[in-house]
């Protein structure tokens, strides 16, 4: 039997969320008027974090359902530019 490998899985690490919470200007994570954490940036608008970051358990369950044994992860495209920003 051949192992199935997912070669197109995107990852949005929790460490990125922590770094975005520490920023004082966009892109950054803050709470909206309803107290919901949102990713605020020109590229992501004001996306709720529940939509902006992956859930590992959900991803692993999907892999199991689809018979995927390995996922090759890459940083989500909308975060590829973040490493060039100043820490602020």
């Amino acid at each position: 039997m051949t192992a199935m490998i997912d070669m197109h899985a995107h990852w949005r690490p929790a460490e990125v969320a922590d770094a975005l919470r520490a920023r004082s200007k966009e892109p950054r994570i803050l709470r909206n008027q309803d107290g919901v954490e949102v990713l605020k940036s020109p590229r992501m608008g004001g996306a709720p974090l529940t939509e902006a970051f992956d859930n590992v358990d959900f991803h692993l369950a999907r892999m199991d359902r689809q018979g995927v044994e390995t996922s090759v992860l890459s940083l989500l495209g909308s975060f590829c530019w973040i490493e060039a920003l100043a820490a602020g």
Side-chain angles (χ1 to χ4, degrees):
M1 180 174 187
T2 304
M4 186 180 300
I5 299 174
D6 179 359
M7 296 293 291
H8 193 90
H10 297 296
W11 178 48
R12 296 163 278 202
E15 293 83 2
V16 172
D18 291 341
L20 289 168
R21 283 184 188 101
R23 291 181 56 82
S24 60
K25 55 188 172 185
E26 293 183 11
R28 66 188 187 133
I29 291 174
L30 50 89
R31 291 196 181 273
N32 66 14
Q33 305 92 328
D34 299 324
V36 175
E37 276 194 314
V38 295
L39 174 59
K40 185 77 172 132
S41 78
R43 295 175 185 233
M44 297 289 286
L49 270 190
T50 54
E51 297 173 17
F53 290 91
D54 288 334
N55 178 308
V56 173
D57 293 330
F58 176 82
H59 182 71
L60 291 173
R62 183 177 58 203
M63 287 174 60
D64 288 342
R65 281 193 312 275
Q66 296 174 349
V68 175
E69 294 184 19
T70 303
S71 281
V72 177
L73 303 177
S74 62
L75 193 61
L76 182 68
S78 58
F79 291 128
C80 288
W81 48 270
I82 202 162
E83 74 280 357
L85 294 174

